[in-house]
Structure formats: C-alpha cells, structure tokens
Amino acid sequence: MKTATYILAVATFIVAPSLSATQSAIVLGIQPSAGELSPEVQLAMARGDELSGRLRYDAAVREYARAADVARREGHLASGTMWKLATTHYNNGNLVGAAAALDQLTAEAALVGDLGVEALALYYAAWLDGKAGRGSEMAARVARLEGLLRSAYIPVALRERLSGWLRDSREVAAR
C-alpha cells in the first residue's frame, strides 16, 4: 500500500499542472544547473534515491541536503538537488518542508540571477502552499511570481507556460 501511495504522490507532484497536447513535451520540475552534478553530488543523489526508493524519506532528505551543500560549495546553483529535496519532503507528506526547500532555492536563484529557476521554484512553492491550505502564503508567492513574469529577461516560453498554469489554476478555483 505504501508503494502505491508513493507512486500516486510522485505522479501528483510531478504532473500537478494540467498539460495540453502541445505542452506534453515540456519537462516538468526543475532541472540541475550547469555543472551541478559533479561526481560527489551524484554519489549523494544516488544514496538519496536509494533511500527514497525504500521509503526512508527522512534519511533521503539528509542525503539530498548534503548533495545540495556540495553543489553550493563547488560554486553551483543547487537547483536539481533542491528539487529532489522538495519532492522527497512532498512524498513524506511534509508540504511545508517542501515549500521551504523551494523558498530556499528561490532565494539562491535570485542571488545568481537565474530567473527561470526562481520563477519555477516560486510556482511550485505556491502550489504546495495551496495544497497545504496556506492561502496567504500561496497568494504572496503568486503575487511575487506575477511580478517576475513581467520581466523582459525571463525566457518567453517559460513565461507563457507559467502564465498558462496560473490562468488554469484560477479557472479551476473559480468553479
């Protein structure tokens, strides 16, 4: 039963926004930054994946946090590792912990000027807040995201995708 719950949780988190046929080729989630996956980071990620696969989420979170620390120490934005950390918190039922991991990634992405990662982390953190019933936190993140989406420097395809997801979410909420 736990395995079925795990699979459902992963599928729900990764496919949270509804996708049209034209969007289906778009990779969801947050991808690793350039150079992030050094051998040491990959080793910690593999340990985290193994632990997560055995539903030992607390231990997996520690491994993913270690991987993110290594990536930062090596001078990289820990986008992929923080995504795995957030996903693992989510799979463990810790929506607030998942949103906090994405908040940290949002702040780190802002510091290095990665608007794409910043916007995606904000969107997913807002989505998690909505799932956790934290309406005021969700609204604050959505407002910040909408401001970011007005930037001329955010990639057009990402702006359109996130704007569409926000629009779709509003339409569902209005029903």
Side-chain angles (χ1 to χ4, degrees):
M1 183 64 175
K2 273 191 161 187
T3 302
T5 304
Y6 169 75
I7 292 169
L8 178 62
V10 171
T12 302
F13 188 63
I14 292 177
V15 189
S18 61
L19 298 176
S20 69
T22 59
Q23 293 174 313
S24 61
I26 296 173
V27 176
L28 297 176
I30 299 175
Q31 302 305 305
S33 64
E36 177 184 356
L37 299 178
S38 69
E40 190 176 352
V41 170
Q42 288 181 27
L43 182 62
M45 295 283 284
R47 285 191 301 257
D49 290 347
E50 180 182 338
L51 290 163
S52 186
R54 290 194 273 153
L55 307 180
R56 294 186 51 209
Y57 297 122
D58 291 334
V61 162
R62 287 189 296 276
E63 286 300 323
Y64 293 134
R66 184 174 297 121
D69 289 342
V70 170
R72 286 185 203 100
R73 188 175 63 240
E74 293 175 348
H76 303 290
L77 175 62
S79 56
T81 51
M82 290 300 288
W83 173 254
K84 291 288 278 195
L85 177 69
T87 302
T88 304
H89 275 303
Y90 175 85
N91 290 338
N92 199 27
N94 184 356
L95 302 180
V96 174
L102 292 171
D103 283 341
Q104 182 178 353
L105 178 55
T106 298
E108 292 171 4
L111 285 174
V112 299
D114 192 327
L115 295 179
V117 169
E118 183 181 357
L120 283 167
L122 267 172
Y123 173 82
Y124 286 117
W127 184 83
L128 286 162
D129 282 329
K131 294 292 274 183
R134 298 173 44 167
S136 61
E137 290 88 347
M138 180 186 71
R141 286 187 177 95
V142 168
R144 183 173 168 200
L145 176 58
E146 288 172 332
L148 192 59
L149 291 177
R150 288 191 288 275
S151 170
Y153 300 104
I154 195 158
V156 174
L158 181 60
R159 177 186 303 119
E160 290 174 356
R161 179 172 35 147
L162 290 173
S163 294
W165 287 352
L166 288 173
R167 183 185 56 252
D168 292 349
S169 296
R170 284 189 184 102
E171 288 173 3
V172 168
R175 291 181 195 167

